């Protein structure tokens, strides 16, 4: 059965119950984003830190009482370029001297007793300061980023497939339960290795929560509202980013912040008890031929949308009766996996292109963000600037995508991203700082719009039966782009220029790839693999604005020749002409020599053979003989 034209209107359409389900699907986005962006503050390196002075490195005659705290630091910690104290070195003096002065020969050594952190823009205690992950151990910080993103990649691929096997609701509840347990375990982690492993596992579960809620909210709304539903979910993520600095100021310790961030996940466990706030997707149930569960879910939606099912004439009850006649009693569930993409061509191509665009949109953001600290060293300025550009990109998509189409805006975002990146590559040394700032912000805004629209586009063109697995692959490609930036930090930005050149080239290449995508604006979601294969690439410039909303060609093909139909038509005509009376009377003029043509009067009858042939205005009129067949009459007329 066609879901958009029969099932969805029969269950109440996008009614009150559907809106309630969408509302409760936004809260998981807030909880997941809160835990995701906590990682920024967990791994934030303090602005000012230095080694703890070691008295064992000073001469035995040194008197501490003769120096203030500032003077004590001056003789124990070297200065770098006269601007700041060294982060990783101490002075070592000769041990056996009788008189101490600052001109004694000394050498620089690494820190021996740890570090002192004097100022921090975020937490007073975080992952870095807890285990002194600076200087020689700094590489563990980007490694933690990479492992965290690896967990998200693994979670998207695994739990996306799980959502296609067991359903959106079950996949969501499993992910929420495990992520809550892992969040509590992180609060008591006392080892960097344990913290890294727990963070990796929690990232995998958080990916399942985000993916299941994203798919569910789109599958319960109609085509005109899909964009706004997705973008409001993006604003919930922006709200989590804005709230996080407030929580950081209140908590001041990473373990307390972790407990606060885990609390929304624990509250989401209430979805176990109340199925109506996060029901199973009826679209997925029907696509996988689970008839009994689909009926139960549709009854829940119909009653929630105030449709009465007791009356047989109601649309909901007629819908359930039609489902019985279409699917039958022996309908067996059919589940699909993402491996079936190998049997497709269009779906596989669309999945690959959108994964590529999302990979570019997330990976190239590092190139733009790296230019922001050059204007100011304030951490919160760059943080809130990134949040502001994310909110502006959501607004940009809200006002343009439904009007100009998914493909057109995706193409525009890719063009702006590529041009901004190329200009920064070529003209960084020649442009004014203000213009560099504008290009960086513009590129950051367009790349975020490219990433968000790629996710929405992928969810609309992937078939329902494998939407979880395909969308998981697309999400995973975006996490690979984020992990690429952490890889640059792991190498101390040694390959930043090559990283920028590669992603700028990819952005230009994506412009050509986007041309191969279909248009999904105001179109129903494809349910089966065949539906996904039927989505073809429309022309870029349309003659009419409404043509992009049609899946079928505008001009239907001419009907094919059918010999049996023409044979039936000939037989029916022969029987009509072989009747005893002719329904039309041909009046014969009184004088045969008259040039007035005979008139046909409707409703009068004459006996056959009552008038003979005559010439009228140079034409020969021969009455049809009922005893002759149609072909004989036609041949007689041709002979005459």
């Amino acid at each position: 059965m066609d879901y958009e034209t029969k099932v969805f209107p029969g269950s109440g359409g996008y009614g009150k119950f559907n809106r309630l389900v969408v509302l409760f699907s936004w809260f998981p986005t807030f909880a997941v984003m809160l835990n995701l962006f906590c990682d920024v503050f967990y791994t934030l390196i303090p602005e000012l830190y230095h080694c703890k002075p070691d008295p064992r490195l000073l001469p035995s005659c040194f008197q501490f009482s003769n120096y203030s705290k500032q003077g004590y630091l001056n003789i124990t910690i070297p200065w770098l370029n006269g601007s700041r104290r060294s982060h990783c070195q101490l002075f070592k003096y000769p041990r056996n001297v009788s008189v101490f002065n600052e001109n004694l020969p000394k050498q620089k050594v690494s820190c021996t007793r740890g570090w002192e952190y004097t100022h921090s823009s975020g937490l007073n205690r975080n992952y870095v300061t807890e285990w002194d992950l600076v200087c020689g151990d700094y590489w563990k910080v980007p490694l933690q980023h990479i492992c965290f993103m690896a967990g998200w990649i693994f979670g998207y691929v695994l739990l996306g497939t799980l959502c296609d096997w067991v359903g959106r609701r079950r996949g969501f509840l499993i992910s929420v339960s495990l992520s809550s347990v892992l969040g509590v375990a992180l609060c008591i982690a006392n080892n960097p290795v344990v913290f890294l492993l727990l963070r990796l596992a929690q990232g995998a579960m958080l990916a399942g929560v985000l993916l299941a809620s994203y798919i569910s909210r789109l599958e319960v709304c109609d085509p005109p509202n899909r964009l706004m539903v997705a973008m409001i979910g993006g604003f919930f993520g922006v709200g989590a980013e804005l709230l996080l600095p407030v929580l950081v100021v209140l908590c001041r310790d990473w373990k307390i912040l972790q407990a606060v961030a885990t609390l929304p996940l624990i509250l989401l466990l209430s979805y176990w008890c109340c199925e109506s706030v996060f029901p199973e997707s009826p679209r997925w149930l029907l696509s996988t031929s689970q008839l009994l569960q689909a009926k139960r879910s549709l009854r829940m939606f119909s009653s929630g949308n105030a449709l009465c099912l007791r009356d047989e004439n109601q649309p909901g009850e007629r819908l359930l009766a039609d489902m019985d006649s279409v699917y039958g009693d022996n309908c067996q569930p059919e589940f699909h996996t993402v491996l079936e993409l190998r049997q497709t061509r269009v779906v596989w191509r669309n999945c690959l292109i959108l994964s590529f665009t999302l990979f570019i949109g997330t990976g190239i953001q590092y190139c733009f963000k790296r230019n922001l600290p050059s204007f100011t060293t304030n951490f919160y300025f760059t943080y809130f600037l990134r949040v502001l550009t994310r909110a502006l990109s959501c607004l940009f998509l809200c006002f343009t995508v439904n009007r100009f189409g998914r493909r057109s805006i995706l193409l525009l975002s890719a063009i702006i991203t590529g041009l901004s990146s190329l200009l920064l590559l070529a003209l960084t040394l020649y442009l004014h700082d203000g213009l560099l700032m504008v290009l960086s912000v513009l590129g950051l805004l367009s790349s975020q719009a490219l990433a968000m629209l790629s996710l929405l586009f992928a969810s609309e063109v992937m078939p329902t039966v494998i939407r979880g697995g395909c969308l998981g692959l697309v999400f995973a490609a975006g996490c690979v782009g984020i992990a690429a930036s952490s890889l640059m930090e792991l190498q101390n930005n040694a390959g930043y220029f090559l990283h920028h050149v590669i992603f700028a080239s990819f952005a230009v290449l994506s412009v050509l790839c986007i041309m191969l995508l279909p248009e999904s604006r105001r179109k129903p979601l494809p349910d089966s693999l065949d539906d996904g294969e039927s989505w073809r690439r429309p022309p870029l410039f349309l003659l009419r604005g409404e043509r992009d909303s049609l899946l079928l060609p505008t001009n239907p093909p001419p009907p094919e020749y059918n010999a049996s139909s023409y044979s039936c038509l000939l037989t029916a005509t022969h029987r009509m002409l072989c009747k005893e009376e002719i329904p039309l009377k041909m009046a014969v003029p009184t004088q045969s020599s008259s040039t007035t043509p005979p008139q046909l009067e409707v409703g009068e009858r004459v006996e056959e053979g009552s008038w003979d042939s005559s010439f009228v205005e140079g034409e020969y009129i021969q009455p049809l003989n009922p005893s002759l067949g149609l072909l004989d009459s036609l041949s007689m007329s041709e002979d005459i």
Side-chain angles (χ1 to χ4, degrees):
M1 296 182 64
D2 186 76
Y3 189 86
E4 298 291 346
T5 59
K6 295 183 179 180
V7 179
F8 191 72
S11 61
Y14 190 58
K16 179 178 64 176
F17 187 78
N18 296 65
R19 293 186 177 93
L20 184 66
V21 173
V22 169
L23 173 64
F24 280 95
S25 71
W26 287 329
F27 296 138
T29 303
F30 176 85
V32 171
M33 290 301 167
L34 195 64
N35 283 268
L36 172 62
F37 289 103
C38 278
D39 197 63
V40 176
F41 293 91
Y42 288 166
T43 59
L44 179 62
I45 299 176
E47 297 174 5
L48 299 176
Y49 64 94
H50 57 79
C51 301
K52 290 181 179 180
D54 189 356
R56 297 173 299 178
L57 302 179
L58 297 174
S60 57
C61 63
F62 179 78
Q63 298 294 327
F64 293 94
S65 58
N66 296 335
Y67 295 89
S68 63
K69 182 179 180 180
Q70 191 69 24
Y72 180 59
L73 293 177
N74 288 336
I75 64 174
T76 56
I77 301 174
W79 284 78
L80 297 178
N81 301 325
S83 59
R84 63 177 178 85
R85 289 188 176 92
S86 174
H87 293 319
C88 308
Q89 290 179 328
L90 288 172
F91 282 135
K92 182 179 180 181
Y93 293 87
R95 187 65 179 170
N96 298 321
V97 293
S98 58
V99 180
F100 174 79
N101 59 68
E102 297 181 5
N103 296 325
L104 287 175
K106 50 187 177 290
Q107 59 181 343
K108 296 179 181 180
V109 296
S110 301
C111 298
T112 57
R113 296 184 56 195
W115 286 261
E116 289 183 358
Y117 306 96
T118 58
H119 178 70
S120 177
S121 298
L123 298 167
N124 291 337
R125 229 172 122 238
N126 63 2
Y127 175 73
V128 176
T129 61
E130 180 83 9
W131 294 292
D132 292 331
L133 303 182
V134 292
C135 296
D137 291 332
Y138 168 75
W139 60 272
K140 295 180 182 179
V141 177
L143 179 64
Q144 191 271 340
H145 280 291
I146 295 174
C147 291
F148 189 44
M149 286 297 105
W152 283 77
I153 294 170
F154 180 76
Y156 279 134
V157 175
L158 177 64
L159 297 176
T161 304
L162 186 67
C163 288
D164 291 331
W165 285 349
V166 301
R168 285 56 166 133
R169 174 177 168 80
R170 291 179 183 176
F172 171 80
L173 295 177
I174 292 173
S175 303
V176 166
S177 303
L178 293 178
S179 61
S180 301
V181 173
L182 292 169
V184 174
L186 275 168
C187 298
I188 57 176
N190 57 358
N191 186 281
V193 178
V194 175
F195 178 86
L196 187 145
L197 294 177
L198 290 175
R199 196 69 174 152
L200 186 149
Q202 192 197 29
M205 295 302 107
L206 291 174
V209 176
L210 183 63
L211 182 62
S213 60
Y214 192 92
I215 296 174
S216 296
R217 78 171 66 106
L218 292 181
E219 289 184 346
V220 298
C221 67
D222 53 348
N225 293 294
R226 282 201 302 259
L227 174 67
M228 296 306 299
V229 165
M231 291 302 106
I232 294 176
F235 283 117
F236 269 75
V238 172
E241 291 185 74
L242 291 175
L243 180 63
L244 190 56
V246 179
L247 298 178
V248 168
V249 172
L250 296 176
C251 296
R252 306 306 297 177
D253 189 277
W254 74 270
K255 291 188 177 182
I256 300 176
L257 180 62
Q258 177 61 39
V260 173
T262 306
L263 183 60
L265 293 174
I266 297 176
L267 294 177
L268 291 177
L269 293 176
S270 60
Y271 287 14
W272 276 99
C273 307
C274 190
E275 185 180 357
S276 60
V277 299
F278 200 94
E280 185 56 78
S281 170
R283 180 188 290 272
W284 174 78
L285 292 173
L286 281 177
S287 300
T288 53
S289 302
Q290 302 180 66
L291 188 58
L292 295 179
Q293 294 87 338
K295 285 184 177 181
R296 180 174 174 272
S297 180
L298 288 173
R299 287 181 184 276
M300 183 189 304
F301 275 81
S302 299
S303 59
N305 290 326
L307 286 182
C308 179
L309 294 180
R310 296 180 180 178
D311 188 0
E312 294 182 356
N313 295 324
Q314 291 295 327
E317 194 64 30
R318 292 200 303 268
L319 170 64
L320 299 181
D322 293 340
M323 289 171 58
D324 290 331
S325 61
V326 171
Y327 290 94
D329 298 332
N330 299 324
C331 183
Q332 297 296 326
E334 297 180 1
F335 301 100
H336 302 264
T337 64
V338 72
L339 297 178
E340 296 184 26
L341 281 177
R342 297 177 299 177
Q343 305 172 5
T344 65
R345 188 180 68 173
V346 177
V347 178
W348 167 254
R349 183 190 65 194
N350 295 338
C351 182
L352 183 63
I353 293 174
L354 292 170
S355 300
F356 183 56
T357 56
L358 182 60
F359 168 73
I360 296 168
T362 56
I364 204 172
Q365 290 180 22
Y366 174 73
C367 304
F368 301 120
K369 292 176 184 177
R370 193 172 180 270
N371 291 324
L372 298 180
S374 60
F375 303 98
T376 177
T377 58
N378 191 339
F379 166 77
Y380 284 107
F381 173 80
T382 57
Y383 179 85
F384 284 110
L385 185 59
R386 292 196 300 266
V387 178
L388 178 62
T389 55
R390 190 183 303 272
L392 290 177
S393 61
C394 285
L395 287 175
F396 169 73
L397 295 179
C398 288
F399 288 108
T400 58
V401 172
N402 267 347
R403 183 174 181 179
F404 299 103
R406 272 65 164 159
R407 192 174 65 150
S408 301
I409 301 303
L410 190 68
L411 184 63
L412 177 64
S413 301
I415 292 173
I416 296 176
T417 302
L419 287 178
S420 301
S421 181
L422 291 175
L423 288 175
L424 287 174
L425 270 175
L427 304 176
T428 300
L429 299 176
Y430 308 101
L431 294 178
H432 190 267
D433 291 345
L435 188 55
L436 290 177
M437 181 73 171
V438 171
L439 286 176
S440 300
V441 172
L442 182 62
L444 189 60
L445 190 149
S446 61
S447 61
Q448 289 174 343
L450 180 68
M452 286 188 288
L453 188 54
S454 297
L455 292 177
L456 175 63
F457 210 156
S459 64
E460 290 182 333
V461 299
M462 296 296 111
T464 302
V465 291
I466 56 171
R467 181 170 291 123
C470 292
L471 202 57
L473 292 177
V474 176
F475 269 101
C479 291
V480 172
I482 299 175
S485 62
S486 299
L487 187 61
M488 291 297 101
E489 295 179 358
L490 183 63
Q491 299 177 350
N492 200 17
N493 291 321
Y496 166 72
F497 182 77
L498 181 60
H499 174 91
H500 200 168
V501 170
I502 291 175
F503 274 93
S505 304
F506 283 168
V508 176
L509 180 61
S510 67
V511 174
L512 301 177
C513 298
I514 292 172
M515 305 285 287
L516 301 176
L517 291 173
E519 178 56 61
S520 61
R521 179 180 57 172
R522 301 190 186 95
K523 293 179 182 177
L525 297 176
D527 290 327
S528 63
L529 291 175
D530 292 337
D531 293 340
E533 286 291 291
S534 65
W535 284 45
R536 302 295 179 181
R537 174 180 62 87
L540 181 61
F541 301 103
L542 302 172
L543 297 179
R544 294 192 300 269
E546 297 83 3
R547 185 175 294 183
D548 60 346
S549 63
L550 300 177
L551 289 177
L552 298 177
T554 304
N555 299 322
E560 298 181 356
Y561 171 77
N562 193 340
S564 60
S565 299
Y566 281 90
S567 177
C568 295
L569 176 62
L570 182 61
T571 303
T573 306
H574 175 73
R575 290 177 180 177
M576 181 184 69
L577 296 177
C578 289
K579 290 183 179 180
E580 294 182 357
E581 295 180 352
I582 300 177
L584 299 178
K585 174 185 176 183
M586 297 182 179
V588 183
T590 55
Q591 296 181 1
S592 59
S593 61
S594 175
T595 59
T596 304
Q599 302 294 327
L600 297 178
E601 297 178 7
V602 179
E604 298 187 19
R605 299 180 181 273
V606 295
E607 296 296 331
E608 56 178 297
S610 59
W611 59 280
D612 197 358
S613 60
S614 61
F615 288 92
V616 179
E617 294 184 351
E619 295 184 2
Y620 184 79
I621 301 177
Q622 172 68 30
L624 294 178
N625 190 345
S627 62
L628 298 176
L630 175 64
L631 297 179
D632 295 334
S633 301
L634 293 176
S635 61
M636 181 184 296
S637 301
E638 293 174 357
D639 294 337
I640 294 173

